[in-house]
Coordinates of all heavy atoms in Angstrom, one line a residue:
R501 N 6.0 3.1 -0.6 CA 4.7 3.8 -0.7 C 4.0 3.4 -2.0 O 4.5 3.5 -3.1 CB 4.9 5.3 -0.7 CG 3.6 6.1 -0.6 CD 3.7 7.5 -1.1 NE 4.2 7.8 -2.5 CZ 3.6 7.7 -3.6 NH1 2.3 7.5 -3.5 NH2 4.1 8.1 -4.7
W502 N 2.8 2.8 -1.7 CA 1.9 2.6 -2.9 C 0.8 3.5 -2.8 O 0.2 4.0 -1.8 CB 1.3 1.1 -2.6 CG 0.2 0.8 -3.5 CD1 0.5 0.2 -4.9 CD2 -1.1 1.0 -3.3 NE1 -0.8 0.1 -5.4 CE2 -1.8 0.5 -4.5 CE3 -1.8 1.4 -2.4 CZ2 -3.2 0.6 -4.7 CZ3 -3.4 1.5 -2.5 CH2 -4.0 1.1 -3.6
H503 N 0.2 3.9 -4.0 CA -0.9 4.8 -4.2 C -2.0 4.2 -5.1 O -1.7 3.6 -6.1 CB -0.4 6.1 -4.8 CG -1.5 7.0 -5.1 ND1 -2.1 7.3 -6.4 CD2 -2.2 8.0 -4.3 CE1 -2.8 8.1 -6.4 NE2 -3.0 8.6 -5.1
G504 N -3.3 4.5 -4.6 CA -4.3 4.0 -5.6 C -5.5 5.0 -5.3 O -5.6 5.8 -4.3
I505 N -6.4 5.1 -6.3 CA -7.6 6.0 -6.2 C -8.9 5.3 -6.4 O -9.0 4.5 -7.3 CB -7.5 7.1 -7.3 CG1 -6.2 8.0 -7.2 CG2 -8.7 8.0 -7.2 CD1 -5.9 8.9 -8.3
V506 N -9.9 5.6 -5.4 CA -11.2 4.9 -5.5 C -12.2 5.8 -5.5 O -12.1 7.0 -4.8 CB -11.1 4.0 -4.1 CG1 -12.5 3.4 -4.0 CG2 -10.1 2.9 -4.1
L507 N -13.4 5.6 -6.0 CA -14.5 6.4 -6.0 C -15.0 6.5 -4.5 O -14.8 5.5 -3.8 CB -15.7 5.9 -6.8 CG -15.4 6.0 -8.3 CD1 -16.6 5.3 -9.1 CD2 -15.2 7.4 -8.8
R508 N -15.4 7.7 -4.0 CA -15.8 8.0 -2.7 C -16.8 6.9 -2.2 O -16.8 6.3 -1.1 CB -16.3 9.2 -2.5 CG -16.8 9.6 -1.1 CD -17.4 10.9 -0.9 NE -16.5 12.0 -1.2 CZ -16.3 13.0 -0.4 NH1 -17.1 13.1 0.5 NH2 -15.4 13.9 -0.8
E509 N -17.8 6.6 -3.0 CA -18.8 5.6 -2.6 C -18.3 4.2 -2.4 O -19.0 3.4 -1.8 CB -20.0 5.5 -3.6 CG -19.7 5.2 -5.0 CD -19.4 6.3 -5.9 OE1 -19.1 7.5 -5.4 OE2 -19.4 6.2 -7.1
K510 N -17.2 3.9 -2.9 CA -16.5 2.6 -2.7 C -15.3 2.5 -1.5 O -14.9 1.6 -1.2 CB -16.0 2.0 -3.9 CG -17.0 1.7 -5.0 CD -16.2 1.1 -6.2 CE -17.3 0.6 -7.3 NZ -16.6 -0.1 -8.4
S511 N -15.2 3.7 -1.1 CA -14.0 3.9 -0.3 C -14.0 3.2 1.2 O -13.1 2.7 1.6 CB -13.6 5.4 0.0 OG -14.6 6.0 0.7
D512 N -15.2 3.2 1.8 CA -15.3 2.5 3.0 C -15.1 1.0 2.9 O -14.4 0.4 3.7 CB -16.8 2.9 3.6 CG -16.9 4.2 4.2 OD1 -15.9 4.9 4.4 OD2 -18.0 4.6 4.4
A513 N -15.7 0.5 1.9 CA -15.4 -1.0 1.7 C -14.1 -1.4 1.4 O -13.6 -2.3 1.8 CB -16.4 -1.4 0.5
Y514 N -13.4 -0.5 0.5 CA -11.9 -0.7 0.2 C -11.2 -0.5 1.5 O -10.2 -1.3 1.7 CB -11.6 0.3 -0.9 CG -10.3 -0.1 -1.5 CD1 -10.1 -1.3 -2.2 CD2 -9.2 0.7 -1.4 CE1 -8.9 -1.6 -2.7 CE2 -8.0 0.4 -1.9 CZ -7.7 -0.8 -2.6 OH -6.5 -1.1 -3.1
R515 N -11.4 0.6 2.3 CA -10.6 0.8 3.5 C -10.7 -0.5 4.4 O -9.7 -1.0 5.0 CB -11.1 2.0 4.3 CG -10.3 2.3 5.5 CD -10.9 3.4 6.2 NE -10.6 4.7 5.4 CZ -11.7 5.4 4.9 NH1 -12.8 5.0 5.0 NH2 -11.3 6.5 4.2
R516 N -11.9 -1.1 4.6 CA -12.0 -2.4 5.2 C -11.1 -3.5 4.8 O -10.5 -4.2 5.6 CB -13.5 -2.8 5.4 CG -14.3 -2.1 6.4 CD -15.7 -2.7 6.7 NE -16.5 -2.8 5.6 CZ -17.2 -1.7 5.1 NH1 -17.3 -0.6 5.8 NH2 -17.9 -1.8 4.0
L517 N -11.1 -3.6 3.5 CA -10.2 -4.7 2.9 C -8.8 -4.4 3.1 O -8.0 -5.3 3.3 CB -10.5 -4.7 1.4 CG -11.9 -5.5 1.1 CD1 -12.4 -5.2 -0.4 CD2 -11.9 -6.9 1.4
M518 N -8.4 -3.1 3.0 CA -7.0 -2.8 3.3 C -6.6 -3.1 4.7 O -5.6 -3.7 5.0 CB -6.8 -1.4 2.9 CG -7.0 -1.1 1.5 SD -6.2 -2.2 0.3 CE -4.5 -1.5 0.3
I519 N -7.5 -2.9 5.6 CA -7.3 -3.1 7.1 C -7.3 -4.7 7.4 O -6.5 -5.1 8.1 CB -8.2 -2.2 7.9 CG1 -7.9 -0.7 7.8 CG2 -8.2 -2.7 9.4 CD1 -9.0 0.2 8.3
E520 N -8.3 -5.3 6.9 CA -8.5 -6.8 7.2 C -7.7 -7.7 6.4 O -7.4 -8.7 6.8 CB -10.1 -7.0 7.0 CG -10.8 -6.3 8.0 CD -12.3 -6.5 7.7 OE1 -12.7 -7.2 6.8 OE2 -13.1 -5.8 8.5
V521 N -7.2 -7.2 5.2 CA -6.6 -8.3 4.2 C -5.1 -7.7 4.0 O -4.1 -8.5 4.3 CB -7.3 -8.4 3.0 CG1 -6.5 -9.3 1.9 CG2 -8.7 -9.0 3.1
A522 N -4.9 -6.5 3.5 CA -3.7 -6.0 3.0 C -2.7 -5.9 4.3 O -1.5 -6.4 4.3 CB -3.8 -4.8 2.3
I523 N -3.2 -5.2 5.4 CA -2.2 -4.9 6.4 C -1.7 -6.2 7.1 O -0.5 -6.4 7.3 CB -2.8 -3.9 7.5 CG1 -2.9 -2.5 6.7 CG2 -2.0 -3.8 8.7 CD1 -3.4 -1.4 7.6
P524 N -2.7 -7.3 7.3 CA -2.2 -8.4 7.9 C -1.2 -9.1 6.9 O -0.2 -9.8 7.5 CB -3.4 -9.2 8.2 CG -4.5 -8.2 8.3 CD -4.1 -7.1 7.4
D525 N -1.5 -9.0 5.6 CA -0.5 -9.6 4.6 C 1.0 -9.1 4.7 O 1.9 -9.7 4.8 CB -1.1 -9.4 3.2 CG -0.2 -10.3 2.1 OD1 0.3 -11.3 2.6 OD2 -0.2 -9.7 1.1
Y526 N 1.0 -7.6 4.8 CA 2.3 -7.0 5.0 C 3.0 -7.5 6.2 O 4.0 -7.8 6.3 CB 2.1 -5.4 5.1 CG 1.7 -4.7 3.8 CD1 0.4 -4.2 3.6 CD2 2.7 -4.5 2.8 CE1 0.2 -3.4 2.5 CE2 2.4 -3.8 1.7 CZ 1.1 -3.3 1.6 OH 0.8 -2.4 0.4
Q527 N 2.3 -7.5 7.4 CA 2.7 -7.8 8.6 C 3.2 -9.1 8.8 O 4.0 -9.5 9.8 CB 1.7 -7.4 9.8 CG 1.5 -5.9 9.8 CD 0.4 -5.4 10.8 OE1 -0.7 -6.3 11.0 NE2 0.5 -4.3 11.3
S528 N 2.7 -10.1 7.9 CA 3.0 -11.4 8.0 C 4.5 -11.9 7.5 O 5.0 -12.9 7.7 CB 2.1 -12.3 7.3 OG 2.3 -12.2 5.8
I529 N 5.1 -10.8 6.9 CA 6.4 -11.0 6.3 C 7.5 -10.7 7.3 O 7.5 -9.6 7.9 CB 6.5 -10.1 5.0 CG1 5.5 -10.4 4.0 CG2 8.0 -10.2 4.4 CD1 5.5 -11.9 3.4
V530 N 8.4 -11.5 7.5 CA 9.5 -11.2 8.3 C 10.3 -10.2 7.7 O 10.5 -10.0 6.6 CB 10.5 -12.5 8.4 CG1 11.8 -12.1 9.3 CG2 9.8 -13.7 9.2
G531 N 10.6 -9.2 8.6 CA 11.3 -7.9 8.3 C 10.3 -6.8 7.9 O 10.8 -5.7 7.7
N532 N 9.0 -7.0 8.0 CA 8.1 -5.8 8.0 C 8.1 -5.2 9.5 O 8.0 -5.8 10.4 CB 6.7 -6.2 7.6 CG 5.8 -5.2 7.6 OD1 5.0 -4.8 8.6 ND2 5.7 -4.4 6.6
R533 N 8.3 -3.8 9.3 CA 8.3 -3.1 10.6 C 6.9 -2.3 10.9 O 6.8 -1.6 11.8 CB 9.4 -2.1 10.6 CG 10.7 -2.8 10.7 CD 11.8 -1.7 11.0 NE 13.0 -2.3 11.1 CZ 14.0 -1.7 11.7 NH1 13.9 -0.5 12.1 NH2 15.1 -2.2 11.9
G534 N 5.9 -2.4 10.0 CA 4.7 -1.8 10.2 C 4.1 -1.4 8.9 O 4.7 -1.3 7.9
A535 N 2.7 -1.3 8.9 CA 1.9 -1.0 7.7 C 0.8 -0.1 8.1 O 0.1 -0.3 9.1 CB 1.4 -2.1 7.1
W536 N 0.7 1.1 7.4 CA -0.4 2.1 7.6 C -1.2 2.3 6.3 O -0.6 2.4 5.3 CB 0.1 3.4 8.1 CG 0.9 3.2 9.5 CD1 0.1 3.5 10.7 CD2 2.1 2.7 9.8 NE1 1.0 3.2 11.7 CE2 2.2 2.8 11.2 CE3 3.1 2.3 9.1 CZ2 3.3 2.3 12.0 CZ3 4.3 1.8 9.8 CH2 4.3 1.9 11.2
C537 N -2.5 2.5 6.4 CA -3.4 2.9 5.3 C -3.8 4.3 5.5 O -4.5 4.7 6.5 CB -4.6 2.0 5.4 SG -5.7 2.3 4.0

Side-chain angles (χ1 to χ4, degrees):
R501 185 193 63 82
W502 169 89
H503 173 258
I505 302 172
V506 175
L507 292 173
R508 180 186 293 224
E509 59 266 18
K510 293 183 172 186
S511 66
D512 287 341
Y514 191 67
R515 182 180 293 109
R516 275 192 301 279
L517 287 166
M518 298 310 281
I519 291 168
E520 295 171 2
V521 176
I523 288 177
D525 187 34
Y526 286 108
Q527 293 173 331
S528 73
I529 304 298
V530 173
N532 176 265
R533 291 195 176 192
W536 291 265
C537 180

